[in-house]
Amino acid sequence: QKEVEQNSGPLSVPEGAIASLNCTYSDRGSQSFFWYRQYSGKSPELIMSIYSNGDKEDGRFTAQLNKASQYVSLLIRDSQPSDSATYLCAGPTMIKAAGNKLTFGGGTRVLVKP
Amino acid sequence: NAGVTQTPKFQVLKTGQSMTLQCAQDMNHNSMYWYRQDPGMGLRLIYYSASEGTTDKGEVPNGYNVSRLNKREFSLRLESAAPSQTSVYFCASSAPTGFTDTQYFGPGTRLTVL
């Protein structure tokens, strides 16, 4: 069983609408989560990280973490065509004295239609 | 400040050939990682190095070797390439952020094994 699960999509949203992406995880010990955005043919870039239960807002992005239910979500408000990309959810596992292993979900492809 | 750099950007190999993928970071990060990304599979960790002088296996290490040459450089070697190793390879490095580390990715190497 994959440790981090995402719906592969595509999630199609009209321009200006809210895109809602979900991610579930199995490791109850995970303390923090990351959302990466990946444009086609490019590398993942970090857009949000969240460590605590509740919401974290950064511009048009809001990340939500619910540790009891083991899910994390990402909301994109006022979606723009430039938001069309694959969004990867990742949760870390601490390794030895430093660093962490990130377990990635398969990604959700988002298409924002003008 | 170039961040994480990878060479080459593209490579085509024949089955059985060997090659080394190079990765360097100029952010003074202790930890470095190698991932592969296949369609629908998300990112999977091949090897990581929590600090200079140490390396450990990730989720899919078979058929690969790594060398942490110094703090900046972390290379990935395919000794005898197989078609199953056709993939996009990403190197990443990480720095402590809050409770965990934040990973930053290089531009990737697209490898085709015929």
Side-chain angles (χ1 to χ4, degrees):
Chain A
Q1 181 186 357
K2 208 164 166 50
E3 296 176 17
V4 177
E5 298 273 3
Q6 292 181 257
N7 187 319
S8 61
L11 176 65
S12 183
V13 296
E15 184 175 357
I18 296 175
S20 178
L21 292 75
N22 295 311
C23 171
T24 59
Y25 61 93
S26 59
D27 182 1
R28 284 193 172 273
S30 294
Q31 296 296 314
S32 54
F33 292 87
F34 302 87
W35 282 100
Y36 284 82
R37 177 176 62 199
Q38 187 175 25
Y39 292 114
S40 180
K42 301 296 185 181
S43 60
E45 58 176 324
L46 181 70
I47 54 172
M48 289 283 288
S49 60
I50 185 165
Y51 310 120
S52 305
N53 271 329
D55 296 359
K56 179 182 177 182
E57 186 174 318
D58 185 358
R60 294 186 297 109
F61 298 99
T62 299
Q64 300 171 320
L65 176 59
N66 185 321
K67 293 186 179 180
S69 301
Q70 294 180 249
Y71 81 80
V72 57
S73 61
L74 180 71
L75 300 177
I76 308 173
R77 292 184 301 282
D78 189 23
S79 295
Q80 301 297 309
S82 59
D83 295 325
S84 296
T86 296
Y87 291 80
L88 302 168
C89 172
T93 302
M94 289 301 295
I95 51 173
K96 296 187 178 179
N100 62 71
K101 293 192 293 184
L102 277 180
T103 300
F104 283 85
T108 297
R109 187 169 164 228
V110 173
L111 297 174
V112 181
K113 297 186 175 181
Chain B
N1 189 336
V4 181
T5 57
Q6 293 182 236
T7 56
K9 286 187 169 52
F10 301 93
Q11 184 71 49
V12 178
L13 293 177
K14 294 181 180 178
T15 296
Q17 288 185 316
S18 62
M19 79 160 295
T20 300
L21 281 65
Q22 306 287 352
C23 174
Q25 52 92 10
D26 61 3
M27 297 178 283
N28 201 36
H29 290 169
N30 286 323
S31 303
M32 298 185 72
Y33 313 81
W34 276 105
Y35 293 90
R36 62 177 288 173
Q37 187 174 36
D38 304 296
M41 297 293 291
L43 287 155
R44 292 183 292 170
L45 183 65
I46 304 171
Y47 270 94
Y48 61 92
S49 172
S51 60
E52 186 179 354
T54 68
T55 61
D56 284 285
K57 295 178 180 179
E59 183 184 353
V60 288
N62 291 345
Y64 306 95
N65 285 299
V66 291
S67 296
R68 183 74 182 266
L69 305 171
N70 48 55
K71 190 171 186 178
R72 291 186 63 249
E73 297 171 290
F74 188 37
S75 63
L76 178 72
R77 183 162 178 82
L78 287 70
E79 291 290 352
S80 178
S84 61
Q85 294 178 304
T86 294
S87 188
V88 180
Y89 292 85
F90 290 103
C91 177
S93 67
S94 70
T97 307
F99 295 109
T100 184
D101 283 22
T102 298
Q103 293 191 18
Y104 300 91
F105 287 81
T109 294
R110 281 149 184 79
L111 175 66
T112 301
V113 182
L114 302 175

